[in-house]
Amino acid sequence: MDFYLTALLQGLCFSSIALGIYISMKIFNIPDITTDGSYTLGGTVTAVMLLHHVPGYLILPAVILAGGIAGAITGLIHTKLQVNPLLAGILVMTALYSVNLTFMGRSNLPLVGTSSIFSLINIASNPNQNTLIVLLVFVVIITLLIGYLLKTDFGIAMRATGNSESMIRALGVNTDRMKIIGLALANALTAISGYLITQFQGFADISMGIGIVIAGLGSVIIAETLINWLNITSVWSILVLVLGGAIIFQLVLAVTLNIGVDANLLKLVTAVFVLLIVSLPRLKR
């Protein structure tokens, strides 16, 4: 039971990545690979600041700012230098590897003897239950903020930029600015996942972001499949399904490990699982 609870907790930690990839890929139609680097960046900033005993209320804003800057740089390279968005993301992700390694000073930072958001906020006596409640509250707040943003005039302009860039540009909206802000927001959300998972697992590692975009993409594809199947158009319902996709994705991986699949093959299983989700609707046709 604890095994699946851990998968549930990890799914909640990864929910911010799912929301970030939903914004970049489904709202703006931009395949943003910066995710791998900004996720590690969030974990790196968190670990370094915790080890230097920085107050907890300063760490989260710093993580959001760091992730936002990474995404904004990708947006600037894409919009101002007219570089393909995929290549722009790869360039920034590659640069972030050196940035993260420089900040950390070494490849792994264990958080021994440091406090975390899960130890500072005590809602339940059971550690696992306390972590679950803290994560649920955290995820609900983030989802409410993103949902509210997408329902505002600014959020509608963001969605319109992805749906019909030429139309929204004709209405006087600066689409380049929208893309930059959108990618900054997406990577800030991704960095928040790095912030959460680093405190949950108790360490930050330079390789923690490798392939993480697949986990977020898988979560979004699961949500998209359910959205199309149920014909959902409500922004709030879509966001809830994206969160559900992140949890389902982690639970499937937990089942895979529980039935005896070698942990060394987990990345392979993840890639195959995402491929199956993508291809199933096409195979049915």
Side-chain angles (χ1 to χ4, degrees), residues 96-272:
L96 283 175
Y97 185 91
S98 295
V99 171
N100 290 328
L101 196 56
T102 302
F103 279 156
M104 293 172 71
R106 50 187 173 139
S107 61
N108 186 284
L109 284 179
L111 300 179
V112 180
T114 63
S115 58
S116 72
I117 187 174
F118 307 116
S119 61
L120 291 173
I121 302 175
N122 292 304
I123 301 173
S125 56
N126 184 294
N128 285 334
Q129 290 179 357
N130 188 69
T131 301
L132 177 60
I133 294 170
V134 171
L135 283 174
L136 282 172
V137 171
F138 206 94
V139 169
V140 167
I141 291 173
I142 291 173
T143 306
L144 289 174
L145 290 173
I146 297 300
Y148 173 77
L149 174 66
L150 293 178
K151 297 287 282 185
T152 62
D153 291 342
F154 181 80
I156 292 170
M158 282 175 57
R159 288 188 280 164
T161 300
N163 288 331
S164 180
E165 185 176 343
S166 56
M167 181 199 73
I168 197 69
R169 191 187 294 120
L171 294 174
V173 174
N174 188 326
T175 54
D176 284 354
R177 185 183 302 162
M178 283 293 170
K179 289 179 182 179
I180 293 167
I181 294 173
L183 288 174
L185 176 61
N187 283 279
L189 287 168
T190 300
I192 290 174
S193 275
Y195 162 84
L196 291 173
I197 203 71
T198 295
Q199 295 179 81
F200 175 68
Q201 65 190 9
F203 67 90
D205 191 273
I206 191 63
S207 63
M208 63 188 283
I210 295 176
I212 200 66
V213 67
I214 295 295
L217 181 60
S219 305
V220 172
I221 292 172
I222 291 172
E224 186 182 26
T225 303
L226 294 171
I227 289 164
N228 293 334
W229 182 45
L230 300 172
N231 293 319
I232 290 173
T233 56
S234 166
V235 170
W236 293 107
S237 299
I238 289 171
L239 293 179
V240 170
L241 287 176
V242 169
L243 299 178
I247 294 170
I248 292 170
F249 190 87
Q250 292 303 312
L251 289 175
V252 169
L253 296 182
V255 170
T256 303
L257 290 174
N258 203 31
I259 61 177
V261 175
D262 190 342
N264 292 331
L265 300 175
L266 191 59
K267 293 290 185 184
L268 174 61
V269 172
T270 303
V272 172

